[in-house]
Amino acid sequence: MSDHLRNGTDIRQIDPPDLAAGPGYSHAVSVDVPGRLVVISGQVPVDADGTLVGEGDLRAQLDQIFTNLSAALKAADATWHHVVRLGFFLRDIGQVAILREVRDRHLPAGVTPASTLVEVSGLVNDAFLAEIEAWAVVPRDDG
């Protein structure tokens, strides 16, 4: 079993040899220490003023969503290295290559959270082409 410790944390990415390798995600993520669970609600392509970013442009919308996720992580004193799960909701699963390209640009090298991708017929606003939620575990600082 491939088992990768993530950046000195006790977050382990697990990719069993009996499963095909996932492109950009881990099949399982294990957290071995007590810590703080951070659950980030599904983020959508709106800026800090609530204005839609990238109408009709999935790439621009995904960039804004990852910007929003980064802001939520920072506000929770977490980083992408703490993210253990991502949930992706796409209006058109045929555009998964764009999702992967944007995801890979925003996530640090070696960070491959457990992930789920679901095609949905709609989101809370018809102009939204995607939504992404995240779970992170921040190890407890006993120092």
Side-chain angles (χ1 to χ4, degrees):
M1 169 172 36
S2 176
D3 189 5
H4 306 283
L5 192 62
R6 188 184 297 167
N7 275 15
T9 68
D10 287 319
I11 298 171
R12 297 180 185 280
Q13 298 168 182
I14 302 168
D15 292 298
D18 296 340
L19 297 175
Y25 68 91
S26 295
H27 284 285
V29 175
S30 172
V31 181
D32 298 327
V33 297
R36 216 169 18 89
L37 177 63
V38 177
V39 179
I40 300 173
S41 295
Q43 295 298 300
V44 293
V46 296
D47 63 17
D49 294 325
T51 303
L52 173 67
V53 172
E55 185 166 359
D57 181 346
L58 179 60
R59 186 172 280 106
Q61 288 195 12
L62 289 167
D63 276 326
Q64 182 63 49
I65 291 169
F66 275 97
T67 295
N68 295 349
L69 288 166
S70 292
L73 286 166
K74 182 177 180 181
D77 293 323
T79 71
W80 283 105
H81 291 285
H82 299 122
V83 173
V84 297
R85 183 188 186 290
L86 290 171
F88 299 98
F89 305 91
L90 277 184
R91 295 282 303 274
D92 178 3
I93 205 158
Q95 295 190 15
V96 68
I98 294 171
L99 170 64
R100 288 177 177 158
E101 176 247 310
V102 174
R103 175 204 61 201
D104 292 350
R105 215 172 354 97
H106 285 272
L107 267 60
V111 174
T112 55
S115 299
T116 300
L117 170 60
V118 179
E119 182 178 47
V120 296
S121 61
L123 294 163
V124 70
N125 179 321
D126 287 339
F128 297 166
L129 303 176
E131 183 170 340
I132 304 172
E133 64 184 14
W135 290 38
V137 176
V138 181
R140 185 175 61 210
D141 181 10
D142 289 331

